[in-house]
Amino acid sequence: MNENKESVLEKQKRRYQFLLELWKVVKGSSDEQANLYVVAGSLGFSLEETWELHSYFSEKGFFAMDTSAMDITLSHRAIVEIENSLTNPQQSTEHFPSTVIQNFNAPVGSVQTGNNNVANVNQNIGQNFSEILEQLAILKNQ
């Protein structure tokens, strides 16, 4: 996965963590308030990241009320977004990708999805190269 895509996915993950925590604190209600700093602090987010999250969600219309004390009220839109992600985790929402869990019951060299992906795979089959050459030489001489 390229570095830029990893960065975007990490940002989306942290945004989701933050919104989910806000939703929990306000008990899924647009009548309750949560302090932005307290919620972000409980997740270990820096002040700079907290401001980025505030800006992002404000622009998306996810905050119904925003006071100077940084007490946040979630909008109906934010509550619907997070509840949709919780009730249908296999489906992406407007702002968050779905979680894909893949279980493999045997060795797998690589799994690729999407366009233009490249996988460089090295598999150890249990013997080193010189042993394989010896075996091939024996087979050739028979």
Side-chain angles (χ1 to χ4, degrees):
M1 191 179 310
N2 74 35
E3 186 178 319
N4 293 329
K5 185 175 181 179
E6 286 179 23
S7 176
V8 169
L9 291 174
E10 182 62 26
K11 247 184 209 252
Q12 288 176 337
K13 176 183 170 187
R14 292 180 71 80
R15 286 175 183 155
Y16 184 80
Q17 287 175 326
F18 178 73
L19 188 62
L20 179 60
E21 189 63 23
L22 275 174
W23 178 83
K24 288 176 184 177
V25 169
V26 301
K27 301 171 190 94
S29 171
S30 59
D31 295 329
E32 299 285 328
Q33 289 186 338
N35 185 279
L36 183 73
Y37 294 120
V38 172
V39 172
S42 72
L43 296 169
F45 292 173
S46 69
L47 185 59
E48 180 182 342
E49 186 173 16
T50 303
W51 275 108
E52 287 176 15
L53 290 164
H54 176 268
S55 177
Y56 177 83
F57 286 120
S58 290
E59 289 173 12
K60 298 293 180 189
F62 277 22
F63 298 150
M65 188 184 333
D66 185 0
T67 67
S68 60
M70 298 308 291
D71 290 326
I72 302 299
T73 303
L74 290 179
S75 68
H76 176 73
R77 181 177 182 183
I79 292 168
V80 168
E81 179 90 5
I82 200 71
E83 288 177 354
N84 281 342
S85 76
L86 293 170
T87 57
N88 299 305
Q90 69 281 5
Q91 294 180 1
S92 297
T93 64
E94 183 180 351
H95 298 94
F96 302 108
S98 63
T99 302
V100 176
I101 298 172
Q102 297 178 332
N103 296 307
F104 299 96
N105 298 312
V108 175
S110 71
V111 176
Q112 293 180 262
T113 61
N115 297 327
N116 301 317
N117 283 323
V118 175
N120 296 310
V121 179
N122 287 325
Q123 287 186 302
N124 184 347
I125 58 173
Q127 292 182 318
N128 66 34
F129 190 66
S130 61
E131 289 174 345
I132 293 170
L133 288 176
E134 287 176 24
Q135 295 294 323
L136 286 172
I138 292 170
L139 286 173
K140 185 177 179 183
N141 291 331
Q142 290 182 356

